């Protein structure tokens, strides 16, 4: 794969749109931001908001905040969410009042974000306006947009009832087998202000190595977003969240099983589909471990690009982001 920084593929003025969820998405976004900004381009990130929830009257937006903290350089690098060096005095105090959930950790600095967001929401700023105000605090080098301003939850249907995605994941660690996932009301949600405009003006669209079912799935499930990607002129490249048949972190394996997709790089490519055939992808980055799946991906009408996918440090993440851009820019 060519090195964008060394062989002069022009990034100047390039408008890149990234669709992303939480931990993996925000790690990738940092590398992509670095490459795009260094080359003189611009990056817009459309974030999943179907993980959002209300706790203690506060609106929590886990994927928006992972993206915000990641791009700002203040994300907890070990957990992959929340603020680095946070404390939990407020949560401890709430426990004394028998409030809160011991399975959902809210740090003191993180609570500051949720209080600010909830105050602005109550003052009437829309979700997009709030995300805009949150990102003004730091020089992110990218613009964050929520996928929609509507409250669309990811719900998990279990034999014993229906629970919110956050409870299924953070409380039950995905150990309860779902029958299905649902995003009730998504059919009447609209893309947040700026999302369709960003996609219409994009030179490249990238699908982050995020959970295809509960992170990217809700984003492209908002009416108008998938059509804008399919019908746009920008090439679309995705990065596999599955390496060597397993998710790097999280529970994509369970999610893929529930929607009847194979937990493999090719399985996720097939789920997204080729843009030519009414799907989303023009090109798909898969790991060297999964190189044998390349012909299958090619057979789907998607260009496979085998490259190292592990985002073990910033240099490797930047290299992966550069590979994604090179794959997109060499499609034409
Ligand atoms: N993830 C956990 O595994 N345990 C938690 O207690 C937890 C709390 C939490 C609080 C705020 C926030 O923004 C994110 C939080 N996360 C937590 C991460 C989050 O559950 C997921 O990783 C994402 O929603 C999936 O992208």
């Amino acid at each position: 794969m060519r090195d964008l920084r060394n062989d002069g593929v022009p990034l100047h003025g390039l408008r890149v749109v990234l669709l992303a969820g939480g931990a993996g998405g925000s790690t990738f976004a940092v590398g992509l931001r670095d490459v795009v900004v260094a080359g003189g381009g611009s990056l817009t990130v459309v974030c999943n908001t179907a993980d959002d929830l209300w706790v203690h009257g506060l609106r929590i937006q886990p994927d928006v905040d992972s993206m915000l903290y990641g791009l700002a350089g203040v994300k907890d690098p070990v957990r992959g969410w929340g603020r680095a060096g946070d404390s939990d005095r407020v949560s401890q105090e709430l426990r004394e009042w028998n409030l809160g959930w011991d399975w959902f950790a809210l740090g003191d600095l993180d609570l500051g974000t949720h209080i600010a967001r909830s105050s602005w929401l109550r003052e009437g700023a829309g979700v997009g306006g709030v995300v805009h105000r949150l990102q003004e605090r730091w020089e992110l080098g990218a613009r964050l947009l929520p996928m929609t301003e509507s409250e669309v939850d990811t719900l998990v249907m279990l034999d014993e009832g229906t629970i919110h995605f956050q409870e299924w994941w953070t409380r039950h660690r995905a150990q309860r087998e779902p029958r299905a996932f649902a995003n009730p009301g998504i059919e009447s949600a609209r893309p947040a202000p700026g999302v369709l405009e960003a996609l219409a003006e994009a030179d490249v669209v990238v699908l982050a190595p995020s959970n295809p079912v509960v992170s990217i799935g809700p984003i492209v499930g908002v009416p108008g977003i998938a059509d804008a990607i399919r019908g746009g002129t920008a090439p679309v490249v995705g990065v596999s969240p599955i390496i060597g048949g397993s998710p790097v972190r999280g529970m994509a394996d369970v999610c893929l099983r529930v929607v009847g997709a194979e937990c493999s790089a090719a399985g996720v490519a097939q789920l997204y589909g080729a843009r030519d055939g009414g799907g989303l992808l023009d090109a798909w980055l898969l790991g060297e471990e999964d190189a044998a799946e390349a012909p299958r991906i090619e057979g789907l009408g998607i260009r496979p690009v085998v490259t190292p996918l592990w985002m073990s440090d910033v240099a490797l993440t930047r290299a992966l982001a550069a590979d994604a851009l090179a794959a997109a820019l060499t499609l034409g």
Side-chain angles (χ1 to χ4, degrees):
M1 174 55 58
R2 55 206 286 196
D3 184 337
L4 281 176
R5 284 147 296 168
N6 294 333
D7 72 0
V9 173
L11 293 181
H12 192 75
L14 194 81
R15 291 158 298 190
V16 180
V17 174
L18 175 71
L19 272 51
S26 69
T27 302
F28 180 77
V30 171
L32 186 62
R33 183 266 322 265
D34 291 352
V35 174
V36 170
V37 169
S42 63
L43 174 64
T44 298
V45 183
V46 179
C47 268
N48 173 41
T49 57
D51 291 10
D52 298 6
L53 71 169
W54 290 98
V55 184
H56 313 307
L58 300 176
R59 190 66 174 157
I60 321 284
Q61 295 193 286
D63 285 4
V64 168
D65 289 348
S66 293
M67 195 58 71
L68 182 71
Y69 298 158
L71 290 166
V74 299
K75 187 174 77 166
D76 185 315
V78 178
R79 296 182 306 184
W81 51 269
R83 292 281 295 270
D86 213 344
S87 48
D88 69 342
R89 295 194 64 195
V90 174
S91 288
Q92 282 184 37
E93 187 65 13
L94 286 170
R95 249 172 250 133
E96 296 296 326
W97 297 104
N98 273 331
L99 270 177
W101 306 319
D102 53 9
W103 46 269
F104 196 67
L106 289 171
D108 297 330
L109 299 176
D110 196 28
L111 275 163
T113 306
H114 310 317
I115 291 169
R117 171 172 30 238
S118 307
S119 308
W120 294 330
L121 281 173
R122 285 198 184 91
E123 284 167 13
V127 177
V130 168
V131 171
H132 180 74
R133 283 180 82 166
L134 288 171
Q135 64 195 281
E136 278 184 323
R137 174 167 172 191
W138 291 284
E139 282 287 329
L140 299 187
R143 179 171 64 129
L144 295 194
L145 296 174
M147 66 185 200
T148 181
E149 296 205 310
S150 309
E151 279 188 25
V152 173
D153 298 317
T154 293
L155 300 182
V156 186
M157 274 74 159
L158 307 170
D159 283 337
E160 52 274 42
T162 297
I163 57 177
H164 192 281
F165 167 79
Q166 282 301 332
E167 182 173 4
W168 178 68
W169 169 233
T170 60
R171 183 180 193 181
H172 302 297
R173 307 313 302 179
Q175 292 302 308
R176 296 200 175 175
E177 188 64 21
R179 280 195 278 113
F181 299 99
N183 300 115
I186 198 164
E187 53 296 334
S188 53
R190 282 183 305 162
V195 171
L196 294 183
E197 293 80 355
L199 287 169
E201 291 166 3
D203 298 304
V204 175
V205 174
V206 184
L207 305 192
S210 297
N211 188 308
V213 179
V214 296
S215 293
I216 304 293
I219 301 176
V220 297
V222 174
I225 294 188
D227 285 345
I229 295 170
R230 263 181 225 122
T233 52
V236 183
V237 58
V239 182
S240 175
I242 306 296
I243 309 179
S246 307
V248 175
R249 59 189 299 162
M251 42 26 224
D253 48 347
V254 181
C255 298
L256 287 164
R257 186 168 67 233
V258 170
V259 301
E262 185 185 284
C263 183
S264 66
V268 179
Q270 188 167 356
L271 184 68
Y272 288 146
R275 201 151 70 107
D276 273 355
L280 295 171
L281 293 173
D282 294 309
W284 187 236
L285 270 61
L286 66 159
E288 291 159 316
E289 301 83 341
D290 303 309
E293 296 175 24
R296 211 177 122 198
I297 294 165
E298 192 130 41
L300 295 167
I302 300 163
R303 182 188 290 183
V305 177
V306 176
T307 195
L309 292 192
W310 293 100
M311 300 186 288
S312 315
D313 59 34
V314 179
L316 287 170
T317 308
R318 286 181 190 146
L320 175 61
D323 285 347
L325 293 175
L329 292 173
T330 52
L331 274 166

